[in-house]
Amino acid sequence: MPGGSRADGRFPAPIEELDTRLLLDGEAAPPEGRSGPIAPDMTIVRRASSIWRAREDERAWYLVMVEGTGPGTRTRVGDGRIVVGRAEPADLVLHDTEVSRRHCAIELHPQGALLVTDLNATNGTYVNGESIRGSVVVGEHAILQLGRHVFRCERLSGQEAAHHDSVAEEFRRAREYVMALLPAPIDDGPVRVEWAFEPSNELGGDAFGYLWLDADRFAMFLIDVSGHGPGAALHSATIMNVLRHRSLPGVDFSSPAEVVAGLNAVFAMDAHGGMCFSIWYGVHDRRSSKLDFCSAGHPPAFLIDADGMHAEPLQTRNLLVGAVPGYKFRASSARVSDGGRVYLFSDGAYEIRDEAGREGRLEDLRVQLLVPASSSEARPERLLERAWQRMQARALEDDFTVLQVEFGDVR
């Protein structure tokens, strides 16, 4: 199934909306013309009470997700009782196999706290690390664990809630801008491209692109700006636009080392808030089957033969772009056989922690790529699916980005 994959993350609904309404990552369908796995809907809130708007000095109770597929998501606890479970008719539905159908109930306590009631959940309801029986009264900053989901109990004023919404809106706008710049997959022709892209909740600095320089030469790149947040995302979008429009004066875009040196001159970290970035930039000439490339502070790309027997790392030792003015970047080249595939990725595609906290290695990703070109097991969508399985219900700590570029006759 050719195509790119991305999840357009949603942010919590503004506080002035319905009491218990919640929007989560992965709730939206893929954009038209693009397919691939979307992070599964994690939460559905069925009951909606009267519309409520917080006064600036009024404080209300919230469950803030600390771990799960939507860290930072806030659910207001209103006048009604909220039943949390794995399936409807629970009010707050968590798609987590370790959560019971009716796991616990949460409501306001007359003394101004929260009342948490375990509903005989199979795996128990935990407050501050202790399993509870029946009902307990919990205060501010208490930690509630239900299966693989962890919530913090907080009280926020209307002003504080509005600030959180403002930050969420800033993240949303930056995310949508980067998403709008990503290229469509290429399904047929001498070069086919598909990809999977899942931004982290913190919004990292990954961006990528590809384009024909002329009838025979195809350029591809992936960048990773240091840091997280809207600043890193927008910086990566700026760099991506420079490459897409080939707007480096006097630079030959078929020369990877020259392109990276040009970026280094334009995007000096001292002039861009201390931000530097890694990059992998390559140009394939289908006449000679030669792939010229330059990587700077970036993980190697992998060149996989058509049989899936060999993985050749493609990497050059260079400093990060923007770190040292006038730095001389080195390039290299490789020969691509018919049916060969090149995988570009950021470190977020393999530095994924499992439930025990063990971080994935580059070698783990390399092994997954060693399959024949005819197999779907190394398709970017499948790699993303495995990443979700490894994380269980936890969120990505960094952007997940994988490009697969295949050369030669159409499959």
Side-chain angles (χ1 to χ4, degrees):
M1 180 179 65
S5 168
R6 70 185 183 184
D8 291 344
R10 302 288 188 89
F11 285 88
I15 289 304
E16 61 265 21
E17 296 190 18
L18 298 180
D19 282 6
T20 53
R21 183 171 179 265
L22 195 60
L23 296 179
L24 297 162
D25 283 346
E27 196 173 28
E32 183 178 356
R34 302 189 182 182
S35 61
I38 297 297
D41 287 351
M42 184 188 61
T43 310
I44 304 170
V45 178
R46 290 172 52 81
R47 184 181 63 246
S49 55
S50 60
I51 293 180
W52 173 88
R53 183 183 295 274
R55 299 194 309 268
E56 286 194 359
D57 60 346
E58 183 178 3
R59 299 179 69 82
W61 280 99
Y62 295 88
L63 298 177
V64 181
M65 190 176 296
V66 178
E67 289 189 17
T69 322
T73 301
R74 290 176 292 118
T75 305
R76 181 177 179 265
V77 182
D79 295 333
R81 190 186 202 217
I82 297 177
V83 174
V84 184
R86 192 177 68 245
E88 299 180 20
D91 303 300
L92 181 59
V93 177
L94 304 179
H95 292 303
D96 181 342
T97 56
E98 295 184 13
V99 171
S100 298
R101 292 181 64 85
R102 285 171 51 85
H103 199 101
C104 72
I106 303 167
E107 57 194 309
L108 296 177
H109 188 269
Q111 296 179 354
L114 287 181
L115 184 69
V116 178
T117 303
D118 177 69
L119 301 178
N120 298 315
T122 302
N123 293 312
T125 300
Y126 290 80
V127 174
N128 296 329
E130 299 290 333
S131 178
I132 68 171
R133 290 179 179 274
S135 300
V136 297
V137 177
V138 303
E140 194 169 1
H141 308 308
I143 299 298
L144 175 65
Q145 182 173 359
L146 315 173
R148 292 188 295 265
H149 290 76
V150 179
F151 298 86
R152 183 175 63 250
C153 302
E154 284 189 357
R155 295 187 71 193
L156 298 175
S157 67
Q159 186 175 22
E160 290 167 334
H163 172 71
H164 284 297
D165 288 336
S166 175
V167 171
E169 176 65 12
E170 183 180 358
F171 272 74
R172 184 190 66 79
R173 288 179 181 273
R175 183 186 303 237
E176 288 184 352
Y177 179 60
V178 173
M179 291 288 193
L181 297 178
L182 299 180
I186 301 176
D187 299 334
D188 52 36
V191 179
R192 280 93 52 205
V193 185
E194 54 186 283
W195 48 263
F197 176 55
E198 176 69 29
S200 68
N201 284 79
E202 294 295 324
L203 197 57
D206 285 12
F208 59 89
Y210 37 86
L211 65 155
W212 286 99
L213 300 178
D214 54 36
D216 297 301
R217 292 177 297 182
F218 185 81
M220 66 207 85
F221 62 86
L222 194 154
I223 59 179
D224 184 0
V225 174
S226 58
H228 292 83
L234 295 177
H235 193 50
S236 70
T238 301
I239 300 164
M240 179 166 46
N241 274 327
V242 167
L243 293 172
R244 289 171 64 220
H245 299 295
R246 291 185 263 180
S247 53
L248 290 172
V251 169
D252 179 4
F253 276 79
S254 67
S255 170
E258 195 172 330
V259 170
V260 177
L263 293 172
N264 189 62
V266 172
F267 293 101
M269 63 184 296
D270 290 344
H272 291 85
M275 288 187 292
C276 51
F277 61 94
S278 70
I279 187 171
W280 196 100
Y281 182 95
V283 176
H284 177 262
D285 191 329
R286 63 176 182 164
R287 295 167 299 186
S288 62
S289 299
K290 184 182 177 185
L291 174 63
D292 296 322
F293 62 91
C294 176
S295 66
H298 202 82
F302 281 122
L303 172 59
I304 312 296
D305 65 317
D307 296 328
M309 300 298 292
H310 303 286
E312 179 183 350
L314 306 179
Q315 185 179 39
T316 54
R317 292 186 175 276
N318 290 303
L319 296 179
L320 290 167
V321 181
V324 178
Y327 182 81
K328 185 174 179 59
F329 290 89
R330 296 175 288 275
S332 188
S333 61
R335 193 73 57 181
V336 181
S337 60
D338 193 51
R341 292 161 288 148
V342 171
Y343 288 88
L344 313 183
F345 48 87
S346 61
D347 53 13
Y350 59 88
E351 291 181 348
I352 299 171
R353 298 183 188 276
D354 62 15
E355 202 167 11
R358 294 183 294 265
E359 187 175 86
R361 304 170 301 157
L362 178 61
E363 175 64 12
D364 299 329
L365 178 60
R366 187 190 72 86
V367 170
Q368 293 184 65
L369 304 180
L370 290 174
V371 296
S374 59
S375 172
S376 64
E377 287 303 300
R379 306 278 294 269
E381 304 99 323
R382 183 72 182 104
L383 298 174
L384 179 55
E385 288 175 5
R386 290 203 194 98
W388 282 116
Q389 292 167 3
R390 179 178 176 84
M391 291 183 299
Q392 299 294 322
R394 293 172 299 105
L396 286 168
E397 297 177 8
D398 200 357
D399 292 353
F400 179 101
T401 309
V402 176
L403 274 74
Q404 175 188 292
V405 185
E406 186 173 3
F407 304 92
D409 294 333
V410 179
R411 307 180 276 244

